[in-house]
Amino acid sequence: MKPLIDNARSFAATHVAAPENAAAFQALESGQAPQALFITCSDSRVVPTLITGARPGELFELRTAGNVVPPYPSRADDVSRDGSPVSEAATIEYAVCVLGVRDIVVCGHSHCGAVGALVRGEDLSAVPAVRDWLDHSVAPDAALRSLVPASADVAEAVQTHVLAQVDRLRAYPCVSERIADGSLTLHAWYYEVHTGNITAQQPSFDDRPAFGPL
């Protein structure tokens, strides 16, 4: 922890106050206008700003276990099935309706623990919150659950899962409205944590996910 604390202590003086950065940071006090909403996993190996080169204020982030996009709650009560507010839905809605992002990226990654646990049928009883999150978020009949992992990186499973999250986003009223008027674009990405390579959804002529170079 010490290196992290040391960097936090010196951040303002060594980075923010640097002549080449000071004006950009000063401008942040007037608000934010991010280019995109980036939805990805909580995994520490995935760093959206490092991957994209985004500077402060350019990328709005939503990170969840397994880069899950929960179903949009009913308009009647705006809560999840157990009666609690859905913070993920609130983040997406704020990004689209208030910040006006023009792009949403859903980015899965290789060697994903959440997706790997699902396709391998792992016992998650020791982490009941994780188990319940995945059970709630990934339907029993989801295509992901029927896949047999062909490699340790669970690439096909992660890509299938990413596409399912993009489809779920389309069911959000704010997202569907913006797609319909041409002011919002959705993107499906796959990131390899060990190579840094990123691929994106490509046109496919069968039911298998097709990802290729950006």
Side-chain angles (χ1 to χ4, degrees):
M1 188 66 185
K2 187 177 184 303
L4 302 180
I5 294 173
D6 290 343
N7 191 75
R9 284 174 174 157
S10 63
F11 180 70
T14 62
H15 190 77
V16 177
E20 66 272 21
N21 296 328
F25 275 95
Q26 185 70 34
L28 296 177
E29 68 179 354
S30 64
Q32 58 174 323
Q35 299 179 35
L37 167 62
F38 199 98
I39 302 174
T40 193
C41 186
S42 304
D43 195 295
S44 62
R45 297 168 293 182
V46 182
V47 185
T49 53
L50 182 65
I51 294 169
T52 62
R55 293 179 59 81
E58 294 181 342
L59 202 63
F60 202 63
E61 296 183 29
L62 172 59
R63 305 191 67 155
T64 68
N67 54 267
V68 165
V69 174
Y72 188 76
S74 69
R75 292 191 175 190
D77 55 14
D78 196 31
V79 297
S80 63
R81 288 188 296 183
D82 67 357
S84 60
V86 182
S87 66
E88 296 83 11
T91 299
I92 294 166
E93 200 166 67
Y94 186 81
V96 173
C97 296
V98 178
L99 298 178
V101 298
R102 298 189 63 85
D103 294 273
I104 301 178
V105 177
V106 180
C107 182
H109 67 93
S110 66
H111 306 88
C112 179
V115 172
L118 286 172
V119 297
R120 290 189 291 265
E122 294 178 2
D123 179 8
L124 298 177
S125 58
V127 281
V130 175
R131 177 199 60 206
D132 294 348
W133 167 253
L134 295 176
D135 284 348
H136 170 72
S137 304
V138 183
D141 60 349
L144 169 67
R145 293 186 183 271
S146 64
L147 292 176
V148 177
S151 57
D153 61 9
V154 290
E156 182 181 358
V158 170
Q159 292 166 5
T160 298
H161 178 60
V162 166
L163 296 181
Q165 306 318 297
V166 171
D167 285 342
R168 187 173 281 171
L169 271 175
R170 293 191 177 97
Y172 279 57
C174 58
V175 172
S176 63
E177 291 167 7
R178 290 279 306 281
I179 291 174
D181 68 22
S183 63
L184 182 66
T185 303
L186 305 184
H187 309 265
W189 289 8
Y190 172 72
Y191 172 65
E192 287 187 338
V193 299
H194 55 300
T195 68
N197 288 332
I198 299 174
T199 52
Q201 181 186 14
Q202 307 292 326
S204 175
F205 301 101
D206 56 31
D207 293 331
R208 297 174 66 87
F211 280 68
L214 279 173

